[in-house]
Amino acid sequence: MRRTLLAASLSALLCSSFAAQAADRVLSIGGSVTEIIYALGAGDRLIARDTTSTYPEAANDLPNVGYIRALSPEGVLSVDPDLIISEAGAGPMETLEVLTRAEIPFVEVPDGFDGAGILAKVAAVGTALELEEEAAVLAEDLSTGLDAVAAKTASLPESERKRVLFILSTRGGRIMASGTHTAADGIIRMAGGINALSDFEGYKLMTDEAVSRAAPEVILMMDRGGDHGAPDAEFLALPAIVTTPAAKTKSVVRMNGLYLLGFGPRTADAAMDLARALYEGL
């Protein structure tokens, strides 16, 4: 309730601010939002970004105000934005309250892990930047790409769809994996796969027995460092993984995290790339 009331207050502030003039000092929070702003041709209006905003390459030249869920008021205020556009879930709440008191317009774009969710993000960012026509053109292009992916995967027989396990972390040998209602679940379904874990929502630490019962045929991971950087042979030998069909066929797919899970302008390409990794000859 507290976050809902704050969001309503921020929205009211935004409307009154835009009545005066369009923002030209924009802070983008969230990788997909930043990608959309650049795709709309408004990258020159960005004055800073958060840690998750690493694409396109030009974004990395902008000042970094910190991680989306751990923003400090000082970091945000130091770049003097006249508009903040953010993915859902920015925080902490205390920082958002400071921004409200500072009367900085704040737009939180809707979240969603399917094609409709991407198009809603584009529309929200386009409205915030007063670029509705550009957003409509981008949405049409994205719809074409998403439809192409759907047409490709629709031809897959149900009996041939791969069971895919997305692993977020293997720290300490413990598997943190994705259930439903996550970006990982969304991209697996978009690529024609079946989420091997469908009996819970969000991310969860799994027992070795639970991973074995899930019987994934493919392991999907982000291609980042740390525990994700272990060679496939070492990873597939983990007790939780070694008994799975994926381990027997050495089926591991690694993709850039923002590309795979961002649900922004590149998602149709990411879904197609994943589909081709899952299904030879698609």
Side-chain angles (χ1 to χ4, degrees), residues 18-245:
F18 278 178
Q21 64 180 42
D24 59 7
R25 292 186 56 80
V26 180
L27 167 58
S28 179
I29 304 295
S32 66
V33 167
T34 302
E35 288 194 36
I36 291 168
I37 291 173
Y38 276 101
L40 292 174
D44 60 334
R45 292 162 67 177
L46 285 173
I47 47 89
R49 49 96 186 185
D50 78 312
T51 302
T52 70
S53 298
T54 58
Y55 186 90
E57 186 60 34
N60 294 291
D61 295 330
L62 295 169
N64 183 348
V65 300
Y67 179 55
I68 180 172
R69 305 193 198 287
L71 301 170
S72 72
E74 296 81 8
V76 172
L77 295 173
S78 70
V79 298
D80 191 28
D82 56 19
L83 170 64
I84 300 169
I85 309 178
S86 175
E87 290 182 359
M93 184 63 66
E94 291 74 19
T95 294
L96 301 187
E97 290 172 343
V98 170
L99 299 179
T100 302
R101 291 195 295 271
E103 298 188 348
I104 299 175
F106 184 104
V107 174
E108 183 178 271
V109 302
D111 214 351
F113 304 127
D114 55 17
I118 298 170
L119 300 182
K121 282 184 182 181
V122 170
V125 174
T127 298
L129 295 173
E130 297 188 340
L131 294 173
E132 289 89 348
E133 291 185 7
E134 291 84 347
V137 172
L138 177 59
E140 185 173 352
D141 289 344
L142 296 179
S143 292
T144 299
L146 293 166
D147 288 346
V149 177
K152 276 281 188 182
T153 59
S155 63
L156 294 167
E158 198 65 30
S159 60
E160 294 181 13
R161 292 180 184 267
K162 298 290 182 67
R163 293 178 58 80
V164 182
L165 176 66
F166 177 80
I167 295 179
L168 181 65
S169 171
T170 60
R171 186 170 300 170
R174 297 289 305 280
I175 303 297
M176 174 75 77
S178 169
T180 61
H181 294 88
T182 65
D185 178 67
I187 199 70
I188 288 168
R189 288 185 286 107
M190 195 175 284
I194 298 171
N195 189 346
L197 297 172
S198 59
D199 55 351
F200 65 90
E201 296 183 6
Y203 292 91
K204 181 178 176 182
L205 278 172
M206 308 297 296
T207 65
D208 293 357
E209 293 78 11
V211 173
S212 183
R213 284 196 303 272
E217 297 167 278
V218 179
I219 303 295
L220 177 62
M221 302 174 71
M222 292 183 281
D223 64 350
R224 63 187 189 195
D227 56 355
H228 283 67
D232 284 358
E234 180 180 325
F235 166 72
L236 292 171
L238 289 173
I241 304 296
V242 71
T243 62
T244 66

Side-chain angles (χ1 to χ4, degrees), residues 248-262:
K248 291 177 172 58
T249 58
K250 297 180 173 57
S251 298
V252 180
V253 176
R254 302 177 191 247
M255 296 175 66
N256 175 271
L258 181 57
Y259 182 58
L260 179 69
L261 306 177

